[in-house]
Amino acid sequence: SQEVGTCPRCFFEKGRQDFNPKKLVPALAAFLKKEGKISLPKNCDIIKTAPFKELPPDCPDWFYTRAAAVFRRIYIRPGTGIGSLTKVYGSASRPGVRPQHHQACARGHLRFAMQQFEKLGYMEHCVSGGRKLTPKGTQMADRMAHSCC
């Protein structure tokens, strides 16, 4: 018999940020792909994720992974917008021998992923700006978090 609050699956003792993203994001991406309700962008095979990248991603399922990562990020911090997500997924750009500077990632695929989640009813616009999860989206995220913890 365990003490109260020591069960690792208990959500009330384990907050949203305590779940391992290395397990949650692939599980959520596999769920989104299996569900089949999220459509891919038309030019998904040639989209670069940032202007400082030379080639598109190698993995054919990269969009599901990015969409799952965006979903997790908004699950943790409601009210996150596209601008802050571009800073999170951006990286250092170093053109030639010049000093490196941070450059934001592309916005289109992030916006497309959020719009797909809105169509499914998992996400909605926040009054203060950005987006937040609906109760349906929070329930799905909680279920996925508990299944992979």
Side-chain angles (χ1 to χ4, degrees):
S1 85
Q2 291 182 332
E3 296 177 20
V4 176
T6 60
C7 175
R9 294 190 177 266
C10 184
F11 182 72
F12 297 107
E13 277 71 25
K14 195 167 186 177
R16 293 178 176 185
Q17 295 178 346
D18 295 333
F19 292 108
N20 187 359
K22 291 183 180 180
K23 291 181 183 177
L24 180 60
V25 171
L28 189 56
F31 173 76
L32 292 174
K33 185 176 180 180
K34 185 182 82 170
E35 193 179 54
K37 293 182 181 177
I38 288 186
S39 62
L40 296 175
K42 294 178 184 175
N43 54 354
C44 184
D45 54 339
I46 59 172
I47 290 177
K48 294 191 320 176
T49 55
F52 53 86
K53 300 280 188 180
E54 292 185 9
L55 296 171
D58 292 334
C59 179
D61 297 333
W62 71 269
F63 184 75
Y64 294 109
T65 305
R66 180 58 62 96
V70 166
F71 192 81
R72 180 195 158 268
R73 181 69 65 164
I74 294 174
Y75 173 60
I76 290 173
R77 297 191 67 183
T80 303
I82 293 174
S84 61
L85 288 173
T86 58
K87 293 173 192 168
V88 168
Y89 296 117
S91 183
S93 173
R94 187 169 181 263
V97 296
R98 297 174 59 207
Q100 70 181 27
H101 297 286
H102 186 271
Q103 192 169 5
C105 80
R107 295 171 176 253
H109 65 282
L110 299 175
R111 187 177 299 113
F112 188 82
M114 289 179 163
Q115 288 170 351
Q116 294 296 311
F117 287 128
E118 284 180 359
K119 285 181 185 177
L120 292 175
Y122 291 152
M123 207 176 278
E124 65 186 2
H125 281 276
C126 204
V127 176
S128 60
R131 288 183 172 87
K132 65 178 183 177
L133 297 184
T134 61
K136 180 181 175 183
T138 305
Q139 180 184 13
M140 192 263 296
D142 288 341
R143 227 177 317 134
M144 292 302 299
H146 287 294
S147 68
C148 68
C149 73

